[in-house]
Amino acid sequence: MAKKSAIAKNEKRRRMVAKQAEKRAALKAIATDRSASPEEIFQASMKLAQLPRDGAKIRVRNRCGVTGRPRGFYRKFKLSRIALRDLASVGQAPGVVKSSW
């Protein structure tokens, strides 16, 4: 099981990303617009830099929904490799069959 503080910090980042998504998208659109004036691009870049870093989507870490483990994460199942194997062995993961020979 992962540290509770790490899981809580990641959830806080997820909430912040959702809250600032529109604002960041608008500023990024202005900053990457080639038809805008250099002053507008600079102002958009400065406003974007002043926003909290944890509001950036890239800072959210994929974690297992069962254990909170950050490594060995399968996006399709939102589980770590260990949790997926345990659930597949019991037959709880739909569409997954654990092979043995």
Side-chain angles (χ1 to χ4, degrees):
M1 189 76 184
K3 288 174 60 174
K4 300 282 186 188
S5 61
I7 295 171
K9 187 186 297 186
N10 202 41
E11 287 305 313
K12 182 180 175 185
R13 284 179 179 155
R14 282 188 193 278
R15 287 192 303 270
M16 193 175 288
V17 166
K19 189 170 125 180
Q20 293 184 351
E22 288 183 30
K23 188 184 295 186
R24 280 186 170 274
L27 288 173
K28 278 188 178 183
I30 295 170
T32 58
D33 186 19
R34 294 292 176 201
S35 64
S37 69
E39 293 82 22
E40 290 175 339
I41 293 172
F42 180 72
Q43 289 298 322
S45 301
M46 294 305 291
K47 287 180 183 177
L48 195 58
Q50 289 175 348
L51 291 175
R53 287 185 176 182
D54 280 346
K57 187 178 177 183
I58 195 74
R59 290 180 63 107
V60 175
R61 185 82 159 113
N62 288 329
R63 289 186 171 268
C64 176
V66 176
T67 62
R69 180 181 165 85
R71 306 286 177 109
F73 180 80
Y74 286 93
R75 289 176 187 232
K76 183 176 181 181
F77 300 102
K78 294 189 169 119
L79 295 171
S80 69
R81 60 183 177 82
I82 298 166
L84 180 63
R85 182 186 168 112
D86 289 341
L87 291 175
S89 295
V90 183
Q92 296 284 321
V96 178
V97 177
K98 183 182 170 296
S99 65
S100 60
W101 58 91

